[in-house]
Amino acid sequence: MESSSGSTRREATRQKLYEAAVTLIAEQGFSATTVDEIAERAGVAKGTVYYNFASKSVLFEELLRHGVGLLTASLKEAAERTAAAGGSKTDALDAMVRAGLVFIDRYPAFTQLYVAELWRTNRAWQSTLMVVRQQAVAVVENVLREGVEGGEFHEAIDVSLTASALVGMVLVAALDWKAFQPERSLDDVHSALSRLLQGRVSGTRA
C-alpha cells in the first residue's frame, strides 16, 4: 500500500506532468508533442511519464478529466457559498460566472485545449470529455432547476440548453478576453457578463 507521503509525491509529479503537457500541446498541438518533451518540460525522466500514465493519450485524457474536475469543483463551491450567504439563484449563477472566469484566467492554456477538443469527434478520449463536460454543466443545471422550482426563474426555460449556453458564454467570452482584449480586468469582464446574465443589455437605465 502506498504511504501518504508517497501518494502526495506521486500527485505532485502528476501535476507537473499535467502542466507540462497542457503547455506543450497548446503551443504545438497534440500530435507534434512527444512524451520526451513532456518529461523534459516537467523535469522528470521519460520512464516517470509511463509509470504514471500508460501512454500520451491516457495522459491527455486524464488531463482533461483533472482540469474539468477543477472547474466543476469551483463552480459548485461558488453556488454553495452563495446559498450559505442567503443569496438568490441569480446571485449563484453570477458567482459561478465569476468562478469560471477566475479558473480560465488561471488556466488559459487548458481552457483553449478543452474548447478545441469539444469540437473534435475522432479522439480516443471523446466519451470521457463528454462525461466531464456534463458534470460541469450539471452544476449549472441544478441551480437553474432550483430557481424554476422556487419561482425565481420562468418555468418555460429549457434548463439543459440554458445551462450549456451559460457555460459556453463564459468559455468563449473568456477566450476572447485572453486572446484579443487582455488589457481588460477580470472585474470588467465579469461585470459585462453579469449584465448579460441579469437581462440588463437592453432597456432604460435604472
Side-chain angles (χ1 to χ4, degrees):
M1 190 173 171
E2 195 171 29
S3 68
S4 60
S5 62
S7 177
T8 303
R9 208 162 40 241
R10 187 174 185 198
E11 201 47 53
T13 299
R14 289 169 77 93
Q15 186 64 43
K16 281 198 290 187
L17 290 170
Y18 287 143
E19 289 171 5
V22 76
T23 306
L24 284 165
I25 294 168
E27 287 172 1
Q28 58 194 32
F30 177 79
S31 299
T33 300
T34 66
V35 171
D36 284 337
E37 288 173 317
I38 293 170
E40 185 181 348
R41 181 70 66 97
V44 302
K46 183 178 179 179
T48 303
V49 180
Y50 289 115
Y51 174 72
N52 285 275
F53 304 100
S55 66
K56 186 176 71 167
S57 288
V58 171
L59 165 56
F60 191 63
E61 183 171 343
E62 288 302 312
L63 166 64
L64 290 169
R65 194 188 298 274
H66 173 74
V68 181
L70 289 176
L71 173 60
T72 302
S74 68
L75 295 176
K76 191 173 182 184
E77 196 270 333
E80 290 173 348
R81 191 173 62 245
T82 305
S88 67
K89 297 306 175 188
T90 302
D91 293 333
L93 291 174
D94 191 51
M96 293 162 89
V97 166
R98 185 175 186 87
L101 291 173
V102 168
F103 175 87
I104 295 161
D105 189 39
R106 186 175 179 185
Y107 305 109
F110 172 79
T111 306
Q112 188 180 349
L113 277 183
Y114 169 64
V115 172
E117 288 302 315
L118 282 174
W119 297 103
R120 299 183 194 275
T121 56
N122 60 342
R123 301 294 210 188
W125 48 79
Q126 190 67 24
S127 58
T128 294
L129 188 59
M130 291 301 100
V131 169
V132 294
R133 173 202 164 276
Q134 185 51 39
Q135 288 170 352
V137 173
V139 180
V140 184
E141 285 180 354
N142 288 341
V143 171
L144 287 168
R145 199 170 288 111
E146 288 168 1
V148 170
E149 289 168 358
E152 186 178 340
F153 303 142
H154 197 285
E155 62 182 15
I157 69 166
D158 186 318
V159 169
S160 176
L161 193 57
T162 302
S164 295
L166 286 171
V167 172
M169 175 184 78
V170 175
L171 287 171
V172 174
L175 287 177
D176 184 89
W177 163 39
K178 286 295 174 186
F180 304 115
Q181 306 179 62
E183 72 283 355
R184 299 183 69 162
S185 68
L186 192 149
D187 285 342
D188 187 27
V189 176
H190 174 227
S191 178
L193 295 187
S194 183
R195 288 191 193 96
L196 191 61
L197 171 69
Q198 297 179 41
R200 296 205 301 265
V201 175
S202 60
T204 57
R205 292 183 180 178

